[in-house]
Amino acid sequence: MIGSAFPQLNARDSLQLVSPLPQISTCSAAQLREQVARFYAGKFSNIPSSICLAPGRINLIGEHVDYNSGVVLPFAIDLHSAVAVGLNSTSLIRVSSQLDGVVHELSAAPDAGRWPGWLRYLQGTLKLWSQRTERPPFGFDLAVTSTLPMGAGLSSSASLCVAILSALQTAATGRASLPQVEQPPTWEQAQLCQQVEHQFANVPCGLMDQLVVLAGQRNHLLAIDFHEMTLEPIPWPGSDLSCLLIHTGVQHDLATSEYGLRRATCESAARKLGALSLRSVTLENLLAASSALTDLEFKRARHVVSEIERTMQATANCRAGQAEQLGRLMDESHVSLRDDYEVSCMELDYLVEQVRQLPGVLGARMTGGGFGGSMIALLPTQSLSLSLLEKLLATYESRFGLNPRWLLCQPSSGSIELNSGD
Ligand code: ADP
Ligand code: MG
């Protein structure tokens, strides 16, 4: 049922809806491109030579399994980081993000000290990319704008690194006096951006976010198998289906949270089970060998092993268009993340529980690393009742004193480069 005060919903058109609800604001790639070009011009009194957009992502299912050689099923969303770039004739980098609007002037050699705040992502990407390409430092101007909420579990950091990497690549390619740089393959680019997180942001993340940000496809999920190292686009299970995304308003902080501990516990469980990773462990193996593990290792491993099975099943369900089964797997995934992996929080649990009761909802779960961030629900687009959602969010707001924001999503495409003539 549609709330009577609102027109019928289509996932993409809903972005244009005039709704009293606190939606995550978004805009088209063309609008974002104009916005970042304007921002760049305002800061550097010039026009950029190229603009690179990289999306955020939602993980439909397969949480905390990428670093266990598992399988995941994420998709890129219509929220982006936008990076505009142009060479300057100095040996300095001038850079600004709409986040604070400050123009930072930095040495083009990224070795000089630790760059503060968000600049660490630029420093890391620039340093690792320069090492890989053996490129001498060169001066450039770079501006960043974004429609992605940060710390919302939608991978704004991976999106930022991928957009910066593409921008550096195009900036260098555009300069005739510099040797041309061949674009490295997707896995290599993703690994470079992952190393930025590890070495410069202190987040020991897996590789899922970077891969889907780079290689997501419109109307498709991306099945990633970290053991086989394969990427396979899987058609979205129904054009009438959408993912309702709600950001709890709780910003996660994976670097200081328990993310690293989870990873270490999985590795020690695998070692005790004589496995290279938890990917090669079945539920039967795990139960049979449970006495070799501490209770905590057993619980963590049970999440990983069962989540990998659920994700494989979910991939088969998507192929067969079996949305109801998919929804049930999402429900089970949330319970496992909440009880065995213990990465949920009361705000996520509350929203998952409440949204699960909305008409048409087939399944709901937290998405992303957890400890805050966002939840998702799968439902037929037309069944979303905006009036019920409004009531639910108002109750949440008064109960937790937080400002939740929502968006209806379907899979969008991965990172794109726009030359100034596009
Ligand atoms: P998530 O990736 O889930 O959004 P993280 O904590 O991993 O959360 O990354 C958020 C950080 O990424 C921000 O604190 C900021 O440093 C950086 N970041 C992301 N987008 C931008 C942007 N548009 N401008 C500046 N910094 C950004
Ligand atoms: Mg991140």
Side-chain angles (χ1 to χ4, degrees):
M1 285 295 298
I2 306 288
S4 56
F6 300 98
Q8 296 248 311
L9 283 173
N10 163 299
R12 294 195 199 284
D13 294 349
S14 76
L15 306 180
Q16 322 300 333
L17 264 184
V18 180
S19 156
L21 292 180
Q23 279 194 65
I24 297 175
S25 49
T26 181
C27 59
S28 68
Q31 286 168 323
L32 195 55
R33 175 206 152 138
E34 262 172 44
Q35 187 199 85
V36 74
R38 243 195 336 270
F39 182 66
Y40 180 101
K43 296 294 173 191
F44 307 120
S45 309
N46 207 342
I47 53 164
S49 58
S50 11
I51 291 172
C52 296
L53 302 189
R57 66 96 188 91
I58 283 175
N59 188 18
L60 191 71
I61 194 162
E63 213 65 79
H64 282 280
V65 298
D66 56 349
Y67 54 82
N68 286 297
S69 298
V71 289
V72 296
L73 204 52
F75 60 97
I77 55 176
D78 263 328
L79 294 169
H80 295 88
S81 304
V83 171
V85 71
L87 298 175
N88 64 35
S89 50
T90 73
S91 57
L92 288 178
I93 297 168
R94 294 186 301 174
V95 50
S96 186
S97 166
Q98 217 175 22
L99 188 61
D100 56 14
V102 177
V103 176
H104 302 269
E105 278 202 2
L106 302 147
S107 153
D111 284 325
R114 269 284 190 201
W115 295 1
W118 73 270
L119 294 172
R120 64 200 152 145
Y121 294 100
L122 172 65
Q123 181 181 27
T125 312
L126 179 59
K127 185 168 177 179
L128 298 181
W129 175 80
S130 306
Q131 279 170 358
R132 185 195 169 274
T133 55
E134 297 178 0
R135 172 155 302 284
F138 61 97
F140 60 88
D141 298 331
L142 184 143
V144 185
T145 65
S146 177
T147 45
L148 264 170
M150 289 167 221
L154 304 175
S155 279
S156 74
S157 62
S159 161
L160 177 66
C161 291
V162 166
I164 291 174
L165 180 63
S166 311
L168 290 174
Q169 197 84 26
T170 47
T173 309
R175 183 164 177 171
S177 60
L178 292 171
Q180 300 296 293
V181 186
E182 231 178 78
Q183 186 88 348
T186 304
W187 282 83
E188 222 178 289
Q189 291 182 65
Q191 278 158 348
L192 188 152
C193 294
Q194 180 196 31
Q195 283 309 310
V196 176
E197 301 264 5
H198 287 197
Q199 296 176 28
F200 292 80
N202 200 26
V203 178
C205 59
L207 202 55
M208 168 178 75
D209 298 353
Q210 295 78 5
L211 283 170
V212 66
V213 166
L214 281 158
Q217 290 185 14
R218 197 171 168 83
N219 297 331
H220 287 78
L221 297 145
L222 189 67
I224 311 175
D225 185 321
F226 289 94
H227 180 66
E228 306 294 336
M229 291 188 66
T230 53
L231 302 175
E232 188 189 354
I234 307 286
W236 182 242
S239 57
D240 58 326
L241 291 173
S242 289
C243 220
L244 169 66
L245 163 75
I246 305 178
H247 175 23
T248 56
V250 181
Q251 295 221 345
H252 69 73
D253 185 352
L254 292 184
T256 55
S257 71
E258 306 231 329
Y259 193 100
L261 270 180
R262 294 294 179 286
R263 195 173 172 150
T265 308
C266 290
E267 283 161 7
S268 87
R271 253 193 323 275
K272 288 185 185 175
L273 296 170
L276 273 181
S277 74
L278 290 176
R279 172 64 181 274
S280 50
V281 177
T282 63
L283 269 180
E284 292 73 42
N285 299 152
L286 184 64
L287 288 168
S290 61
S291 58
L293 304 179
T294 64
D295 288 352
L296 203 62
E297 285 167 341
F298 177 76
K299 270 172 51 164
R300 304 297 191 243
R302 184 166 58 186
H303 164 70
V304 172
V305 171
S306 63
E307 184 77 354
I308 291 172
E309 269 191 20
R310 277 187 291 275
T311 308
M312 287 175 163
Q313 184 57 51
T315 308
N317 291 149
C318 284
R319 283 204 182 93
Q322 294 165 327
E324 283 181 15
Q325 289 90 327
L326 188 56
R328 274 200 292 278
L329 292 166
M330 290 169 70
D331 289 340
E332 287 170 24
S333 168
H334 184 77
V335 171
S336 179
L337 287 157
R338 183 191 67 197
D339 297 345
D340 273 354
Y341 219 60
E342 298 180 278
V343 290
S344 189
C345 60
M346 62 184 177
E347 294 85 354
L348 280 168
D349 291 342
Y350 178 87
L351 281 177
V352 165
E353 180 82 31
Q354 296 301 312
V355 170
R356 192 68 196 80
Q357 314 303 320
L358 291 179
V361 169
L362 301 168
R365 61 182 288 271
M366 54 161 277
T367 189
F371 309 108
S374 301
M375 58 80 59
I376 51 167
L378 184 70
L379 78 173
T381 312
Q382 298 296 327
S383 69
L384 180 66
S385 159
L386 286 175
S387 52
L388 290 180
L389 181 62
E390 183 171 19
K391 218 183 272 174
L392 190 158
L393 295 181
T395 309
Y396 174 85
E397 218 171 311
S398 61
R399 186 175 176 134
F400 293 100
L402 291 161
N403 300 312
R405 289 188 295 150
W406 69 285
L407 192 66
L408 269 186
C409 302
Q410 283 181 344
S412 161
S413 48
S415 62
I416 39 175
E417 230 170 72
L418 304 162
N419 294 317
S420 39
D422 289 344

